[in-house]
Amino acid sequence: MTTSTTRVLALLEILQGGGIRTVPDLAARLGVDERTVRRYAGHLLDLGVPVDSVRGRYGGYRLAPGYRMPPLMLTDEEALAVVLGLLAAQRAGLVTTSAAASESAAAKLRRVLPKPLGRRLEALLDTADFTARPRLAAAPETGVLLGLAEAALHRRPVAVTYTDRKGRSSDRTVLPYGLVAHSGRWYLTAADPTAGDDGEIRTFRLDRIAAMTVQSGSFVVPESFDPAATVLDSLAQTPWTHDVSLRIRGSIQHIRRHLPAEIATLSTIATTTALDDTHRTHTDEPRSDASTGPATADEHTGWTHVRIRAERLDWIPPVLAALDRPFVIEHPTELRTHVRALARRLDEHAAADQGHPPDPPPTTAVTGPRRHH
């Protein structure tokens, strides 16, 4: 939906509040000039909405007396799709800075639906529950999100004010390639023309963009460019406390099931080198894996280099155990300590007498990987 269409609908919403609205007031609320307000009123007339023009000192626009918007003509499936879509966006943390925007939109939708359908949707919302917890994330400004979307669509440069993860603010002009929603946040992939002839590809969090202005000019996006893959790769390469380097004897496909792209970068090792037997497991015999089926020759002869950047190391040994593949820890040395500690705990639990359960684990539980935000 274009910005002009959105504002025409916003004008209709204002007029439905009743009374006469002056042109200067409407222009201020819509963020346009008075001439544009008159043009929007003409658009409503073209759509069959009876907008009265009231002349005089206190004149302006109003809806014709007695006019009411007709019920929204949606099938049960269409109404369900819209309401659940609004709810899903809210729980995923993808709404804009107006936290109540999706709730008010859903309320307005239910208000204009036929009563029988509205009651059925209310019943669903009152009785449904969700296993996934709602994401609480800082949301971008509505104007920033929509403005960047238009600029990316029409290939227009934008000037932005951006605050990085260290709290440093800067003004820059970038070429917006695409927008990506990931883990409850919006990201912008863009080229920075100041970084070389072709420009360095950067990833920006939209909630850290304080302002944006569309600039003149145009640009071309490379045909092979993938915004989503770029964001995941950028997140995986973000510097953290620990830089973990591993070699794992297994296919990239198998490793990816346990280490997604935003957590680790993977690359195939072209030639197998001699491995230090003290730093790897000794499971060279063919075996069957319940999660992946029989191991293939490629998984037993090919090695994959894995690089992980993490704030903590304690979540990595359980992942390596779940992979069930030979591995080599290149660095850091502290990771070997965590792996050996997990191995001892597993051995103790396996050897425990069934009539005498082992002592409970330490209070510091092993947690999952900390994702970059």
Side-chain angles (χ1 to χ4, degrees):
M1 184 177 293
T2 65
T3 301
S4 60
T5 302
T6 302
R7 286 173 176 157
V8 170
L9 295 176
L11 172 59
L12 176 58
E13 181 73 15
I14 295 172
L15 295 179
Q16 286 186 109
I20 300 173
R21 304 288 180 172
T22 65
V23 174
D25 175 58
L26 292 172
R29 295 186 62 176
L30 296 174
V32 298
D33 56 31
E34 295 182 11
R35 182 178 179 182
T36 302
V37 170
R38 296 185 179 92
R39 188 171 73 251
Y40 288 168
H43 289 334
L44 290 177
L45 286 170
D46 292 338
L47 293 172
V49 178
V51 178
D52 289 343
S53 176
V54 181
R55 298 183 180 276
R57 181 178 179 182
Y58 301 103
Y61 291 104
R62 69 180 180 188
L63 290 181
Y67 177 76
R68 293 291 183 272
M69 285 290 291
L72 192 60
M73 301 305 294
L74 294 177
T75 66
D76 288 11
E77 290 185 355
E78 291 170 341
L80 178 62
V82 173
V83 172
L84 291 183
L86 290 170
L87 183 60
Q90 181 185 16
R91 294 182 65 84
L94 298 180
V95 295
T96 54
T97 50
S98 175
S102 59
E103 293 182 2
S104 62
K108 291 177 182 178
L109 175 64
R110 296 196 298 269
R111 193 163 59 242
V112 299
L113 287 174
K115 290 184 178 180
L117 177 55
R119 285 195 298 267
R120 299 181 72 183
L121 287 176
E122 290 287 354
L124 172 64
L125 297 177
D126 288 342
T127 58
D129 204 349
F130 300 85
T131 57
R133 295 180 179 179
R135 294 182 179 272
L136 301 177
E141 294 284 348
T142 302
V144 169
L145 177 60
L146 297 180
L148 289 173
E150 282 193 315
L153 177 64
H154 299 298
R155 306 290 191 259
R156 299 287 301 277
V158 294
V160 300
T161 300
Y162 188 74
T163 302
D164 64 16
R165 64 196 300 261
K166 295 183 178 180
R168 298 172 299 193
S169 180
S170 63
D171 295 321
R172 63 186 80 191
T173 298
V174 299
L175 311 180
Y177 281 5
L179 295 168
V180 178
H182 172 70
S183 294
R185 297 190 185 278
W186 283 101
Y187 294 89
L188 169 70
T189 57
D192 185 351
T194 63
D197 296 336
D198 297 329
E200 181 180 349
I201 305 300
R202 299 180 182 273
T203 298
F204 303 92
R205 269 177 46 177
L206 261 66
D207 60 291
R208 291 178 175 166
I209 298 178
M212 59 83 59
T213 306
V214 179
Q215 305 293 297
S216 60
S218 62
F219 58 90
V220 177
V221 179
E223 292 184 4
S224 59
F225 183 75
D226 186 338
T230 300
V231 168
L232 293 178
D233 184 63
S234 174
L235 296 180
Q237 295 188 43
T238 300
W240 292 101
T241 302
H242 301 285
D243 185 359
V244 179
S245 180
L246 305 164
R247 281 177 287 168
I248 299 177
R249 191 174 183 178
S251 68
I252 288 180
Q253 180 182 12
H254 176 65
I255 297 171
R256 267 286 174 251
R257 295 171 185 168
H258 301 269
L259 291 170
E262 67 269 27
I263 293 177
T265 56
L266 310 181
S267 59
T268 301
I269 300 176
T271 57
T272 303
T273 59
L275 300 176
D276 185 349
D277 288 341
T278 63
H279 293 162
R280 68 179 177 90
T281 60
H282 299 273
T283 54
D284 290 340
E285 296 299 325
R287 67 189 180 287
S288 175
D289 190 305
S291 63
T292 61
T296 64
D298 173 68
E299 290 176 338
H300 282 300
T301 59
W303 289 80
T304 299
H305 181 258
V306 180
R307 189 174 184 185
I308 305 170
R309 291 175 172 85
E311 285 295 312
R312 299 173 58 178
L313 297 174
D314 55 356
W315 62 269
I316 298 179
V319 175
L320 295 176
L323 281 167
D324 192 21
R325 296 290 188 270
F327 62 87
V328 174
I329 298 175
E330 296 181 334
H331 59 77
T333 303
E334 305 97 287
L335 181 57
R336 298 192 181 107
T337 302
H338 285 279
V339 171
R340 293 187 179 111
L342 175 62
R344 286 194 298 269
R345 292 197 301 272
L346 292 175
D347 183 65
E348 291 171 0
H349 297 335
D353 186 348
Q354 293 184 358
H356 299 81
D359 294 332
T363 55
T364 303
V366 176
T367 60
R370 178 177 177 178
R371 307 290 180 95
H372 168 70
H373 295 301

